[in-house]
Amino acid sequence: MFRATVYVTLRESVLDPQGNAVQDSLHSLGYDEVGEVRIGKYMELEINSEDQNKAEQRVKDMCEKLLANTVIEDYRFDVTTL
């Protein structure tokens, strides 16, 4: 069994209005040292498989088909043994 940790973020070329709102709010609270803020998604998945390579391929397929909108988002993941 494996645990997949998936991170999905907007591509650098895509505007991030939610990140801008958080940045503005942090500045208004006095955290002027904060630069650009980008918002993303974090997911943990338990994968029932005996083969790590197969588990990694399945997670990649999940990201491509559902977990990330590959037109505007990038993703990365780590697969570790439980």
Side-chain angles (χ1 to χ4, degrees):
M1 185 177 293
F2 298 94
R3 169 164 287 131
T5 306
V6 181
Y7 304 90
V8 179
T9 56
L10 288 172
R11 293 182 180 216
E12 287 295 322
S13 61
V14 176
L15 296 177
D16 186 353
Q18 190 176 14
N20 291 341
V22 170
Q23 179 185 18
D24 292 344
S25 296
L26 288 170
H27 287 172
S28 70
L29 291 171
Y31 299 105
D32 297 325
E33 68 273 16
V34 174
E36 182 180 23
V37 176
R38 304 286 289 178
I39 302 294
K41 297 180 277 189
Y42 169 83
M43 293 163 262
E44 289 184 356
L45 310 168
E46 286 186 9
I47 308 297
N48 292 317
S49 177
E50 299 296 322
D51 182 306
Q52 185 163 355
N53 289 331
K54 184 177 178 180
E56 289 174 356
Q57 183 59 49
R58 298 290 285 172
V59 172
K60 181 178 185 293
D61 290 343
M62 291 176 211
C63 289
E64 293 284 330
K65 292 179 181 177
L66 177 69
L67 302 179
N69 177 348
T70 57
V71 174
I72 61 169
E73 294 175 320
D74 290 321
Y75 67 87
R76 63 184 171 85
F77 61 87
D78 298 311
V79 176
T80 56
T81 305
L82 285 178

